[in-house]
Amino acid sequence: MPHITIQMYPGRDDATKKRLADAILETASKELARGKEHFSVSVVDVPQDEWKEKVYDKVKTDSNTIIQPGYEM
């Protein structure tokens, strides 16, 4: 069953994170033709000073990253 992890800088409130997770869940459910009960979504706040090490460097070298960052660090 798909689990979707969203990583972003801190600062958004829980209501915003919930709306984002709901919207992504809706799209994933539709695109994969699976009921929403088959998915889970988490939102992980990553401090800006840790972003390069914890996120950017990993996605830049991960062959599973389908859309690469459009920015440089």
Side-chain angles (χ1 to χ4, degrees), residues 23-37:
I24 289 173
L25 173 62
E26 184 72 35
T27 299
S29 175
K30 181 189 288 185
E31 290 298 320
L32 298 177
R34 300 293 297 176
K36 294 176 187 175
E37 68 275 8

Side-chain angles (χ1 to χ4, degrees), residues 13-25:
D13 60 29
D14 289 343
T16 300
K17 292 176 185 179
K18 176 76 167 96
R19 285 192 309 274
L20 174 61
D22 287 340
I24 289 173
L25 173 62

Side-chain angles (χ1 to χ4, degrees), residues 3-73:
H3 175 75
I4 301 163
T5 302
I6 303 163
Q7 295 174 295
M8 61 185 177
Y9 288 169
R12 282 117 181 147
D13 60 29
D14 289 343
T16 300
K17 292 176 185 179
K18 176 76 167 96
R19 285 192 309 274
L20 174 61
D22 287 340
I24 289 173
L25 173 62
E26 184 72 35
T27 299
S29 175
K30 181 189 288 185
E31 290 298 320
L32 298 177
R34 300 293 297 176
K36 294 176 187 175
E37 68 275 8
H38 295 284
F39 295 84
S40 55
V41 180
S42 61
V43 177
V44 179
D45 287 335
V46 179
Q48 186 173 357
D49 62 338
E50 298 175 14
W51 187 263
K52 184 176 185 316
E53 175 188 350
K54 289 187 173 180
V55 179
Y56 183 83
D57 290 344
K58 291 179 182 179
V59 301
K60 288 295 283 186
T61 60
D62 184 350
S63 63
N64 292 310
T65 300
I66 295 172
I67 301 174
Q68 288 287 331
Y71 58 92
E72 298 291 326
M73 294 196 87

